[in-house]
Amino acid sequence: MATTKKSTKAKTKTTKKPAVKARTTAVKTTRATKTTKVTKQPVVKKPVVKAAAVVKAKTTELTANTLRKLNFVKAFVFAALAVLAGVLMSSASYPVSIGYQAKDALVSLTAGKTAFVHGNQNLFDIEVRWLVVTILGLAAVFSLLIATRLRAKYEATLTDGVSSMRWIGWGITAALMVETVALLSGVSDILTLKLIAGLMLVTCALAWVAEKRNKQAGRPAWSEFVVSLFTGSLPWMLIGGYAIATWVWGLIRYPWYVYALYAALLVGFITLTFTQYKRINGWKNTLIVERNYLLIGLVTKVAFAVILILAFQK
C-alpha cells in the first residue's frame, strides 16, 4: 500500500508540472502579442497635416506682420533724418528760373526787323534742406499710413500682387529726388524741372499698369515695362547731358556729393527695375517682392539724405 501511494504521488507530480509550464508559456505569448500589438499601431498622420497647415498660416501672418514692422521702422528713420536735415543742414539755396524770348532793341534797330534774344527770369531761390525735409517727411507719412490706417487695404493689394499705394509713394518721392538732383546739376528752369518730375511719375504709373495687366492676363506685360524703362531713362539723359556740358564747356566738375547722388539713385532705380522685371517674369511670392521694394526704398532714401546732410552741413 505504501508503494502505491508513492507512485500515485509521483504520477500526480509529473502530470502537474507540464500544465504549469503550458500556462506560463501561454501567459508569455499573450503578453508578447499584446506588446507587438502596441508597437505595431499605425501612425496617425492627420494631426501632422493639421500642424503643418497651422505653421504655414502662422508663417504667412508673421511675414505680413514683418512688413508692417518694417513700415514702422521706415517711418521712424525718415522722420529722424528729416529732423536732422532741418537742424544740421545750412541755408544754401539754388535759383529757380523760367526762360522766355525778349526783343533785342539794338539788333532790331540795325536789322530793320524784330530780333529775339533768350531771356531768363529768376523766380525764387529754394534751400536744399527744405527739399530734403519735404521728401523725407512725405516718405515717413506714406510709411506710417500704410502701417496703420491703410493697413487692411495695403495687405489686400499684396494678396492680389498689385499695389497701387506702393507706386504712388514711389512716384511722388522719386520725382522729388530726381528733381533735386537735376537742380544740383545746373537745371534751373522750373518747367524743365517739372517735366523731369512728371516723367518719373509716368514711369511709376506705367510700372503699376504693368503689374495690373500682368495679374489680369496671367502673362508678362512687357510693353508697359519697356515704356516705363524709356520714360524713366529720359530724366537721366538730360541730367547726364548737363554733366557732360559742364565738364566740356564749363571746364569744371561738380562737387563730390552730386556724383554720390548719381550713384545712389541710379543703383536704387536699377535694383528697383530688376525687382519689377522679376515680378513680371513670374515671381509669385508677393510678400517677398514687397519686402524687397520696401528695403530698396529705405536704403535709397537714407543714402540720398545722408549724402546731402554731410554735403550741406553747417
Side-chain angles (χ1 to χ4, degrees), residues 126-145:
I126 186 167
E127 295 185 12
V128 179
R129 64 174 172 179
W130 299 127
L131 289 173
V132 178
V133 170
T134 301
I135 293 169
L136 293 173
L138 288 174
V141 170
F142 279 129
S143 300
L144 190 60
L145 286 175

Side-chain angles (χ1 to χ4, degrees), residues 92-252:
S93 61
Y94 281 72
V96 178
S97 61
I98 187 170
Y100 62 94
Q101 292 291 310
K103 179 182 178 180
D104 191 330
L106 183 60
V107 176
S108 299
L109 184 62
T110 56
K113 60 181 181 179
T114 304
F116 292 92
V117 64
H118 178 71
N120 195 28
Q121 176 63 42
N122 186 30
L123 297 177
F124 54 87
D125 293 341
I126 186 167
E127 295 185 12
V128 179
R129 64 174 172 179
W130 299 127
L131 289 173
V132 178
V133 170
T134 301
I135 293 169
L136 293 173
L138 288 174
V141 170
F142 279 129
S143 300
L144 190 60
L145 286 175
I146 288 173
T148 54
R149 191 176 184 86
L150 302 176
R151 180 189 175 187
K153 186 176 180 181
Y154 173 70
E155 292 181 357
T157 58
L158 292 182
T159 305
D160 295 335
V162 182
S163 180
S164 58
M165 287 182 285
R166 176 212 306 146
W167 292 115
I168 291 172
W170 259 104
I172 294 174
T173 54
L176 291 174
M177 284 193 294
V178 177
E179 193 176 7
T180 302
V181 172
L183 181 66
L184 297 178
S185 300
V187 183
S188 60
D189 185 76
I190 188 170
L191 299 179
T192 306
L193 291 171
K194 295 309 171 186
L195 179 62
I196 290 172
L199 285 170
M200 295 307 300
L201 286 171
V202 171
T203 300
C204 293
L206 287 171
W208 172 70
V209 172
E211 264 191 357
K212 190 174 181 180
R213 286 201 58 188
N214 188 43
K215 175 70 176 179
Q216 291 174 348
R219 56 182 176 81
W222 293 119
S223 58
E224 292 84 357
F225 177 73
V226 172
V227 175
S228 69
L229 288 180
F230 176 71
T231 57
S233 62
L234 288 177
W236 290 105
M237 291 181 184
L238 191 147
I239 293 171
Y242 267 78
I244 294 172
T246 301
W247 181 65
V248 173
W249 291 292
L251 301 177
I252 194 173

Side-chain angles (χ1 to χ4, degrees), residues 1 5 9 34 46 73 103 111 118 134 136 143 147 172 174 178 182 204 223 260 268 270 274 287 304 313:
M1 293 296 290
K5 285 182 181 179
K9 285 182 181 178
K34 286 182 181 179
K46 288 184 179 179
V73 170
K103 179 182 178 180
H118 178 71
T134 301
L136 293 173
S143 300
I172 294 174
V178 177
C204 293
S223 58
I270 290 172
F274 178 76
L287 293 176
F304 174 84
Q313 60 182 336

